[in-house]
Amino acid sequence: KDCTYLSSVKLMPALDGYSVVYTIGARAFENCGSSLTKKYFTLNQNGQEIRSIGENAFLGARLNTVDSFLTQDVIYNNVDKTAIIYVNPNVTTLDLSATQITEIPAYAFANSKLTSITLPSTLKTIGEGAFSGSLLKSIDLSATQITQIPAYAFANSKLETITLSNRVVKVGNLAFAYCTNLKEVEFADVNAVFGDMVFAYCTSLKKVALPSFVSNSETKTEALGSYTFYGASALKTVTFGVNSNTTGNYTFSNSGIEKVYASGSSESGVLLRQGQTTLEEGLFMNCRNLSQVTLLDTVTQIDLGAFENCTFTDIVLSNVESIGERAFYNVPLQTLDLEKVKTVGYGAFAVESEG
């Protein structure tokens, strides 16, 4: 592991007093060779029969030439093909529909050249970072038994479209973060748990339909995770489920949201949850396209930096009693009614001076 200057490995034939190598252990050659030094290494099987390869045995490795067992696209644990133990990082298309696998191991296709994959109905689990950094463009999970999308599962991949199973009830931290080609995601009407930064920096993401109800795995609260759509600069529409709960800190910060509305329907924008009382810290911070905001009558508290650096000019604070620090910092408000406001934080309405 981590032998970045490794140049060759030769498995010697059996000799008196020595054993034949049948197994390559987990992470045995992880990160051998180096993308920084552009060094590759050669593994010479030398006629030996390798019967088992451990999890992540070649994760991040740079192989120059490979022998028989490594030239296969996928190596399974047995003839029934119930588990994957090795994946050729150079494979581009893979059809697993005829297998019986129940799990794709953690980082199995990470940084691989895989562009498309067909999954079996037996699949129950995707490991952490399974497709992260890959060239995968689309994936259909609808026929699988998957209930969780783990942390980093598709992070920084080339994913453009994903069809989710209606069983998905948990999404881990940064599961889709930096998927800059992802355009639209729709969840089933279920109660789900989200981690933080799930869609952060998905710069092509335009529309998301959230589950019926979402709680946060990090804060253990009934809220969307922090920074859920942070930096999603093309985001226009987010639809909350029928039993949707509150948003989280910085949920829409630095996104492309243009409108926040309290009721009815809209082709684009964020419809606030009915009964919502608080707009959390940094909720719409740096949403420079946000030009129209209509608050619910139930909103009584606006936290620190909630609308900082937004561009709308008018807002009605019907029943707002508390406004946090920098809540409207650098917002070019023209009219304002503070009749019911009891507390105002430092710099709540300050405007950045020119020059």
Side-chain angles (χ1 to χ4, degrees):
K1 178 182 175 183
D2 296 326
C3 293
T4 56
Y5 287 90
L6 183 67
S7 60
S8 66
V9 175
K10 188 173 184 178
L11 305 182
M12 299 301 293
L15 299 173
D16 291 342
Y18 292 89
S19 300
V20 176
V21 175
Y22 287 119
T23 301
I24 294 178
R27 313 185 84 164
F29 293 101
E30 181 177 342
N31 295 325
C32 289
S34 171
S35 59
L36 297 178
T37 60
K38 297 183 179 180
K39 285 187 176 294
Y40 295 75
F41 76 95
T42 301
L43 180 61
N44 189 335
Q45 189 179 348
N46 207 30
Q48 292 197 34
E49 178 188 0
I50 304 299
R51 299 175 183 176
S52 175
I53 301 175
E55 183 176 352
N56 296 329
F58 296 93
L59 178 66
R62 290 173 65 83
L63 297 172
N64 189 27
T65 59
V66 294
D67 286 311
S68 58
F69 75 99
L70 287 177
T71 56
Q72 301 176 53
D73 288 340
V74 181
I75 294 179
Y76 303 94
N77 60 327
N78 54 38
V79 294
D80 293 328
K81 298 183 178 180
T82 56
I84 293 174
I85 58 174
Y86 171 77
V87 176
N88 186 333
N90 295 314
V91 65
T92 58
T93 303
L94 196 57
D95 186 351
L96 301 176
S97 59
T99 71
Q100 300 296 313
I101 65 168
T102 59
E103 176 184 5
I104 291 180
Y107 299 96
F109 297 97
N111 301 314
S112 72
K113 296 179 181 179
L114 186 73
T115 59
S116 66
I117 186 170
T118 304
L119 301 172
S121 59
T122 54
L123 187 65
K124 296 179 179 180
T125 306
I126 292 177
E128 179 178 299
F131 298 95
S132 59
S134 71
L135 300 182
L136 187 68
K137 293 183 178 181
S138 65
I139 191 167
D140 187 347
L141 305 178
S142 61
T144 70
Q145 301 177 46
I146 291 170
T147 60
Q148 300 184 25
I149 307 296
Y152 317 106
F154 299 96
N156 200 34
S157 70
K158 298 299 182 182
L159 194 66
E160 297 176 3
T161 61
I162 182 169
T163 304
L164 294 171
S165 161
N166 58 13
R167 298 181 176 90
V168 173
V169 294
K170 186 173 183 179
V171 183
N173 293 341
L174 293 110
F176 298 96
Y178 297 94
C179 287
T180 56
N181 295 329
L182 186 62
K183 297 178 176 62
E184 184 174 340
V185 179
E186 181 175 356
F187 288 88
D189 187 18
V190 295
N191 291 350
V193 178
F194 273 34
D196 291 339
M197 299 185 75
V198 172
F199 296 103
Y201 296 104
C202 290
T203 53
S204 295
L205 187 64
K206 295 182 178 180
K207 184 177 180 180
V208 176
L210 292 169
S212 173
F213 182 88
V214 181
S215 57
N216 181 234
S217 60
E218 299 302 306
T219 61
K220 310 301 181 185
T221 57
E222 297 178 353
L224 273 175
S226 298
Y227 301 92
T228 303
F229 299 103
Y230 187 90
S233 54
L235 187 65
K236 304 299 180 188
T237 304
V238 176
T239 305
F240 287 88
V242 293
N243 299 315
S244 60
N245 46 320
T246 189
T247 44
N249 292 344
Y250 301 91
T251 295
F252 300 103
S253 180
N254 289 69
S255 72
I257 291 296
E258 298 176 349
K259 181 180 179 181
V260 175
Y261 55 102
S263 62
S265 60
S266 174
E267 291 184 358
S268 64
V270 175
L271 174 63
L272 294 174
R273 176 187 67 89
Q274 296 302 301
Q276 186 164 351
T277 60
T278 302
L279 300 185
E280 290 80 7
E281 180 178 323
L283 182 59
F284 295 101
M285 180 182 285
N286 297 326
C287 289
R288 299 182 186 275
N289 295 328
L290 185 55
S291 59
Q292 182 178 346
V293 178
T294 305
L295 297 184
L296 293 159
D297 291 339
T298 55
V299 174
T300 59
Q301 179 175 323
I302 300 175
D303 287 346
L304 182 151
F307 292 104
E308 184 172 332
N309 290 324
C310 292
T311 56
F312 56 88
T313 57
D314 298 288
I315 189 171
V316 177
L317 305 175
S318 301
N319 294 305
V320 175
E321 299 179 354
S322 175
I323 298 176
E325 295 182 9
R326 299 175 68 97
F328 294 93
Y329 180 83
N330 218 30
V331 178
L333 292 171
Q334 296 179 358
T335 60
L336 197 61
D337 185 351
L338 302 177
E339 181 181 355
K340 296 186 178 181
V341 176
K342 298 177 181 179
T343 60
V344 178
Y346 180 81
F349 299 99
V351 177
E352 191 175 293
S353 60
E354 297 182 3

